[in-house]
Amino acid sequence: MPLLSIVHETLYNYRTPVLLGPHRMMLRPRETPELKLMSHDLILTPEASLTWAHDVAGNTVATATFTDLTDTLAIESRTILDLSAPAWPVFAIAASAIDYPFRYSADDGLDLGPLAWPQYADSAGRLSAWAESFVMQHPTDTLSLLKDVSIGVSSRIAYQSREVEGTQGPLETLDRGWGTCRDFAVLFAEAVRTLGFGARIVSGYLFDPDGERTGSAGPGSTHAWVEVFLPGAGWIAIDPTNRSVGSANLIPVAVARHIAQVVPVSGSFQGQESGPVEMTVKVSVQPAGPMARPTEA
């Protein structure tokens, strides 16, 4: 796969000048053995003081503080990266976890903690019963089970883009029968958690040069999927929206227990703003030009 260039632009327009509060941004892709970050630039208008840190999940977080009144805020993230994830990965799952059900080791179970616990109320056990319906026998192949649940999500739920912010709960998505990639990811993560798997939500980008994958706008867009922890193999990316397993075409930016924790940009403002804030987001994921690759000595 060629080097990729990602441009993520967020623009806020306010009716009157406002004083911007601190803004928290998760826009820098996460490096992995299959993703090498070549460069990342964050450009803000108006100018701001930037501090960088890692949160509890290891995500890179930039916090911007502003001093002047403004009627616009423009945030532009520019990234060049090398994505080498194979289209058909082979996972070195530990022998103890090849078949489901299995138990995580004491250390893994302790570290996974809430990542293996459902985050949404299900007092009647509807979601757990739905997830259990994919377990055809005991024992059963672990990876095949995860694939079956992923396919079950996309078979049961129709993809439908939604401009409104926020994410549906898993039972709401099951009842409605439609949702966005965010809703698909939450439903899948919660379903496998009821089966005892550790899972985390991933927010990032989808590289879709041929326009054949679901959840992209044009050649690229923000996207959401899930990573499931399997001993030996580690965190395995599963995209229920596209029925794919592995990180090919997926560029992770942030991971978290809950979808609300991976919002790319969040912040506040003070002023006489009386109407809704106008926000536009543009994302481009394209092959980078030949000059983007560093020359070798």
Side-chain angles (χ1 to χ4, degrees):
M1 184 177 290
L3 292 183
L4 300 181
S5 169
I6 303 172
V7 180
H8 184 159
E9 300 172 283
T10 307
L11 176 65
Y12 296 90
N13 286 307
Y14 307 93
R15 292 179 180 270
T16 59
V18 299
L19 179 62
L20 297 170
H23 276 62
R24 183 176 185 270
M25 294 160 287
M26 290 194 291
L27 297 167
R28 180 186 175 96
R30 292 171 62 94
E31 290 199 76
T32 72
E34 300 169 337
L35 190 157
K36 182 178 180 181
L37 195 62
M38 314 300 288
S39 66
H40 177 259
D41 296 305
L42 189 58
I43 305 163
L44 282 76
T45 306
E47 292 186 355
S49 174
L50 277 178
T51 59
W52 296 86
H54 288 97
D55 67 10
V56 69
N59 303 309
T60 300
V61 180
T63 301
T65 54
F66 304 86
T67 57
D68 299 326
L69 292 172
T70 183
D71 58 3
T72 62
L73 169 60
I75 301 170
E76 182 178 353
S77 172
R78 290 184 169 271
T79 303
I80 302 293
L81 57 82
D82 186 353
L83 182 63
S84 59
W88 304 102
V90 177
F91 302 107
I93 302 172
S96 61
I98 289 178
D99 290 329
Y100 175 88
F102 66 88
R103 293 181 64 88
Y104 289 115
S105 69
D107 284 340
D108 285 346
L110 182 62
D111 291 337
L112 287 169
L115 293 177
W117 305 341
Q119 302 297 303
Y120 294 79
D122 180 25
S123 57
R126 293 174 54 205
L127 182 61
S128 58
W130 183 76
E132 189 68 34
S133 70
F134 294 98
V135 183
M136 301 302 177
Q137 60 185 13
H138 289 78
T140 191
D141 182 77
T142 298
L143 191 57
S144 295
L145 171 60
L146 292 171
K147 291 178 180 179
D148 287 345
V149 178
S150 174
I151 293 171
V153 170
S154 56
S155 298
R156 171 74 178 268
I157 309 302
Y159 178 83
Q160 182 173 319
S161 61
R162 186 173 68 247
E163 297 295 332
V164 180
E165 295 183 9
T167 305
Q168 299 171 171
L171 293 177
E172 185 179 8
T173 299
L174 280 177
D175 290 340
R176 290 184 174 181
W178 57 267
T180 67
C181 62
R182 303 188 304 273
D183 306 319
F184 279 57
V186 168
L187 174 57
F188 175 78
E190 287 291 280
V192 298
R193 283 168 176 166
T194 68
L195 297 175
F197 291 98
R200 60 190 187 185
I201 304 291
V202 189
S203 175
Y205 306 107
L206 173 66
F207 179 54
D208 185 20
D210 300 321
E212 296 177 347
R213 294 173 179 253
T214 303
S216 67
S221 180
T222 54
H223 193 52
W225 61 97
V226 176
E227 289 179 350
V228 178
F229 185 79
L230 294 182
W235 291 103
I236 293 178
I238 299 180
D239 180 3
T241 304
N242 290 290
R243 301 187 179 186
S244 65
V245 177
S247 299
N249 296 80
L250 297 175
I251 301 148
V253 172
V255 301
R257 167 182 52 82
H258 197 282
I259 189 73
Q261 298 172 295
V262 292
V263 176
V265 178
S266 60
S268 62
F269 66 89
Q270 297 178 356
Q272 300 300 315
E273 180 71 27
S274 59
V277 176
E278 179 185 326
M279 181 184 74
T280 57
V281 178
K282 296 180 181 179
V283 174
S284 171
V285 183
Q286 302 278 0
M291 295 302 294
R293 185 181 294 275
T295 56
E296 298 181 358

